[in-house]
Amino acid sequence: MLRLGHRIHVFQGGGCRAETVCLPPIEPLVGEFRDMATATDIFLPETFARGVPYDLFRELRAHHPVTWIPERPVGAWPAGPGYWAVVRHADVKKVLQDYETFSSYAGGAQLRDPDTPEDLEFLRSMIVNQDPPEHSRLRRSIAAAFSPRAVRELADAIEERAAHLVDSVADSGAVDFAELVADLPIWALCHILGMPQQDCPLIYDWTNRVIGYQDADYAGGARVDPESLTDIGRMSLALRTVPAPRSGGAPVNPRSRAALADIFAYAHALADAPRPGSLMARMQEGGLNREEFELMFFGLILAGNATIRASAPGGLHALLTHPQEFQRLRAQPELLDSAVEEMLRFWSPGIMFRRTCTRDTELAGQRIRSGDKVGVYMVSANRDEAAFVEPDRFDIARTPNDHISFGYGPHYCSGAHIARIELKAMIRQTIERLPDLEIASPPVRMTSNFVNGLKHLPIRWRTA
């Protein structure tokens, strides 16, 4: 009988591929899961469109915390080589901390492999795909934008913007909160980067088509009115293309250079005359090479936008589906800080990240070989019974709360403080200004195995 760690050559079309893959760990799963096919559902984007499979993750944590998951074909995307899913809190932290064994640089931080070696080499210039010491150098180039002083200066402006957004819909009695809140992180990014506010819709477009590429509603991006943009915004929009599929028929990775040409063109045009003191100006002074500069701009757009677009609707949904905690927060607004941390834990905005094993090792008793992909599931780690008391209970006063929604180790999110400020501002303004708040109709989840997001969260309230 084949056992854990055995490798086989994979034959396709009468030939044998050069690489080898690990077989799924069959024996330890017998009698522990409903079936192996169910366990492998954590790879499929449509699984998370239905809801996070917390019961399945609980079984995995209890019986097989490091599990081999095949990468099945998804739509036009072909099958991949498979990966090890890591689902326990302590093991996820270990992987994220130990960059020498579990590298971001070796294969990138996204689960799907880049299409070509050239694509991989290109993406390695991105901060999220770097390991120290290069990661540390890139991080220093943007550190000033996230200093305590810079964050304090931005906090009041974020609060005012959140109040403005809520006021703009207060008389209507209903709104899609997911669409409303999307404005706040985009507005803050424009401020930080020195982008003209007219070009804010471009950020929404870029994020939708890159982060949401697995979702049919997002894959094509967002509609942007060229007449509302600046000259460089219109120039960028004119360069926006959908690259043709490669010769094998598979789509082009949305994070490839070909798919990002319009974003990079905008970054260079903005950098030609950066606003003094803006992050673009600091990046110009930071000694980044061309690809590092392009991918730093791209990475900031995604990281500074997707987290709040996922966590704010998810956090409000958690509050409104736990009315006792909602009323508790309204009665004790001083609990907002701890409530936000609980929202981030209970509705983890990120589902998982990828690392690549650089040397044979062992994790939770499972042998992992050099070259194997490893997927760390924050969405499972944040519900781990070993790390949290009653992890499935939503408790706005929970302490301690060692969630890892902003990552852990060298890649801990640089903008975590700003994200917390945005989340607190939006939740505070919403619950204070909209009386008798409730969910108006069932929310719609995003189809993604990367972002735990809501596309729509219809809410309503009493108007005067």
Side-chain angles (χ1 to χ4, degrees):
M1 178 180 289
L2 290 168
R3 297 182 181 273
L4 290 173
H6 277 231
R7 288 174 168 254
I8 58 173
H9 290 278
V10 179
F11 290 84
Q12 286 185 335
C16 178
R17 292 209 311 261
E19 71 268 19
T20 57
V21 298
C22 283
L23 285 175
I26 298 173
E27 287 188 310
L29 294 173
V30 175
E32 294 174 355
F33 293 107
R34 292 179 292 275
D35 54 65
M36 187 59 194
T38 300
T40 64
D41 282 352
I42 64 172
F43 165 68
L44 299 174
E46 56 264 32
T47 295
F48 298 93
R50 297 189 295 269
V52 177
Y54 290 115
D55 289 345
L56 175 56
F57 280 122
R58 187 182 305 113
E59 293 183 39
L60 288 169
R61 289 193 301 270
H63 300 299
H64 204 80
V66 180
T67 306
W68 182 257
I69 304 294
E71 292 179 75
R72 299 184 300 202
V74 176
W77 297 91
Y83 64 100
W84 296 103
V86 179
V87 296
R88 285 182 181 169
H89 187 272
D91 296 329
V92 169
K93 289 178 73 172
K94 182 176 181 179
V95 170
L96 293 177
Q97 181 69 43
D98 185 3
Y99 61 87
E100 293 181 333
T101 305
F102 301 102
S103 170
S104 297
Y105 182 80
Q110 301 301 315
L111 184 57
R112 183 170 294 281
D113 291 327
D115 295 335
T116 67
E118 292 76 20
D119 283 345
L120 173 59
E121 193 61 32
F122 161 67
L123 288 172
R124 281 175 167 168
S125 294
M126 192 172 182
I127 188 170
V128 73
N129 299 322
Q130 286 277 354
D131 299 322
E134 285 302 295
H135 173 268
S136 305
R137 176 180 65 83
L138 293 175
R139 196 178 179 99
R140 287 193 296 271
S141 71
I142 59 171
F146 304 109
S147 68
R149 178 181 176 181
V151 171
R152 285 194 301 271
E153 291 175 352
L154 188 58
D156 289 344
I158 288 174
E159 194 75 42
E160 290 177 8
R161 184 66 179 183
H164 166 75
L165 289 173
V166 175
D167 284 345
S168 71
V169 299
D171 292 337
S172 67
V175 76
D176 185 338
F177 186 75
E179 294 185 357
L180 179 70
V181 77
D183 175 274
L184 186 61
I186 291 174
W187 176 89
L189 277 168
C190 282
H191 181 87
I192 292 168
L193 292 167
M195 286 179 61
Q197 288 296 316
Q198 303 100 291
D199 291 341
C200 279
L202 287 172
I203 297 181
Y204 191 68
D205 171 64
W206 298 336
T207 308
N208 279 6
R209 76 180 207 245
V210 175
I211 291 292
Y213 77 96
Q214 295 170 326
D215 191 299
D217 291 339
Y218 284 166
R223 293 182 180 179
V224 180
D225 178 13
E227 297 305 314
S228 67
L229 304 176
T230 64
D231 289 344
I232 64 171
R234 286 192 291 273
M235 175 276 298
S236 170
L237 192 63
L239 294 175
R240 187 184 185 284
T241 60
V242 179
R246 298 188 186 278
S247 57
V252 171
N253 192 309
R255 294 175 178 85
S256 65
R257 174 173 282 283
L260 301 175
D262 58 324
I263 303 176
F264 295 159
Y266 187 95
H268 286 294
L270 187 64
D272 285 343
R275 189 186 71 199
S278 69
L279 183 52
M280 291 296 286
R282 295 188 182 108
M283 286 166 57
Q284 289 288 85
E285 300 162 1
L288 304 181
N289 64 35
R290 181 182 179 86
E291 287 187 345
E292 289 171 345
F293 170 78
E294 293 172 341
L295 287 167
M296 184 67 79
F297 179 82
F298 169 61
L300 288 166
I301 291 294
L302 298 188
N305 183 10
T307 299
I308 294 302
R309 284 182 62 183
S311 60
L316 185 62
H317 181 272
L319 274 177
L320 296 180
T321 53
H322 295 81
Q324 286 186 320
E325 294 301 286
F326 179 44
Q327 295 306 323
R328 184 184 183 190
L329 182 57
R330 295 196 72 164
Q332 298 177 264
E334 68 273 13
L335 292 177
L336 182 59
D337 283 355
S338 61
V340 161
E341 298 307 312
E342 181 68 342
M343 292 175 198
L344 288 163
R345 182 197 71 86
F346 195 81
W347 189 291
S348 176
I351 294 172
M352 61 93 71
F353 269 106
R354 175 251 182 105
R355 297 292 187 264
T356 302
C357 190
T358 61
R359 54 195 177 195
D360 290 358
T361 190
E362 188 174 290
L363 184 66
Q366 175 61 58
R367 187 180 182 187
I368 301 177
R369 299 192 183 224
S370 177
D372 286 351
K373 290 199 286 188
V374 175
V376 291
Y377 279 84
M378 296 84 71
V379 75
S380 171
N382 282 339
R383 295 287 187 102
D384 190 343
E385 302 80 359
F388 305 96
V389 176
E390 296 184 82
D392 294 323
R393 179 169 61 90
F394 182 67
D395 177 7
I396 64 168
R398 182 182 294 274
T399 183
N401 193 339
D402 187 24
H403 70 77
I404 49 176
S405 291
F406 290 119
Y408 185 77
H411 280 274
Y412 184 81
C413 178
S414 298
H417 294 315
I418 292 177
R420 286 185 168 100
I421 289 170
E422 292 174 346
L423 185 51
K424 282 190 286 188
M426 203 67 203
I427 295 297
R428 175 170 38 240
Q429 296 297 332
T430 300
I431 67 176
E432 286 182 356
R433 293 169 181 260
L434 305 179
D436 298 334
L437 192 62
E438 63 181 3
I439 295 175
S441 58
V444 180
R445 295 182 58 88
M446 185 175 175
T447 301
S448 175
N449 59 11
F450 178 60
V451 175
N452 182 26
L454 289 176
K455 294 188 291 186
H456 303 290
L457 179 62
I459 59 173
R460 62 189 174 204
W461 57 90
R462 174 176 49 83
T463 57

